[in-house]
Amino acid sequence: MSETVETTLENLDTALAGEGEAAAVEATPAEPKIDKQGRSYATGKRKNAIARVWIKPGSGTITVNGHDEKRYFARPVLRMIVRQPLVVAQRDGQFDIVATVSGGGLSGQAGAVRHGLSKALTYYEPGLRGVLKSNGFLTRDSRVVERKKYGRAKARRSFQFSKR
């Protein structure tokens, strides 16, 4: 009886050791997704804006729709939003960023570039995923403008009430 218990325990130990190895294999970081030109690409979205973002190692220039970042996003708050993932990941000034944005307004476009930049950074350096995810940069902000309903002035506002 004791021999069967010992062999069962040995089998259990080897099975657990095998599971540990499998878990270690699964925990390895993902491979970087880099194209032949040394760039990583990602798409970011915010409200009605869609941004296509390419990053590659460089001097830190940000180009949006063919314009410099300071010209396209004139307000400092918008530039700060775009640079947030780089600052948090401590990669500011290490990557050249090219983005094409369409749709929405400037605030939505800045949020879309931030989302796309965060995703592109995780594709280039998969080790940054934890830092960016904990700061909420990889989550797509799904809030969009509510549609107008019939019988209403706007989405929820009623027409002005008239007693007579």
Side-chain angles (χ1 to χ4, degrees):
M1 177 71 183
S2 65
E3 292 176 15
T4 57
V5 170
E6 288 176 13
T7 56
T8 307
L9 288 174
E10 289 173 11
N11 292 341
L12 182 62
D13 288 339
T14 56
L16 289 176
E19 285 179 17
E21 292 170 10
V25 170
E26 290 176 14
T28 57
E31 289 292 317
K33 297 179 183 175
I34 302 171
D35 64 6
K36 293 176 183 175
Q37 287 91 21
R39 304 175 302 180
S40 283
Y41 166 78
T43 305
K45 295 182 179 182
R46 169 86 166 91
K47 294 187 179 179
N48 283 335
I50 300 173
R52 300 182 302 159
V53 181
W54 291 268
I55 65 167
K56 64 178 180 180
S59 60
T61 60
I62 298 178
T63 307
V64 182
N65 288 352
H67 299 291
D68 183 45
E69 167 203 28
K70 291 189 178 193
R71 182 170 175 213
Y72 195 83
F73 295 120
R75 289 185 287 175
V77 173
L78 298 178
R79 291 197 300 269
M80 185 260 309
I81 288 172
V82 169
R83 287 189 174 271
Q84 276 178 336
L86 295 169
V87 172
V88 167
Q90 297 175 350
R91 299 292 187 272
D92 201 13
Q94 296 181 15
F95 290 101
D96 286 341
I97 299 150
V98 178
T100 58
V101 194
S102 64
L106 286 176
S107 177
Q109 288 183 352
V113 171
R114 179 178 85 167
H115 185 226
L117 176 58
S118 302
K119 285 171 62 176
L121 279 171
T122 59
Y123 292 152
Y124 197 87
E125 291 184 52
L128 295 177
R129 181 172 171 81
V131 175
L132 295 172
K133 189 166 177 65
S134 65
N135 284 289
F137 297 142
L138 296 177
T139 306
R140 195 251 199 246
D141 190 354
S142 61
R143 296 177 295 170
V144 292
V145 177
E146 189 174 349
R147 78 169 191 88
K148 183 196 178 304
K149 280 77 168 187
Y150 55 86
R152 296 267 175 179
K154 295 170 81 175
R156 297 190 180 193
R157 189 189 188 290
S158 299
F159 292 114
Q160 184 173 352
F161 176 74
S162 174
K163 193 179 255 185
R164 286 171 191 71

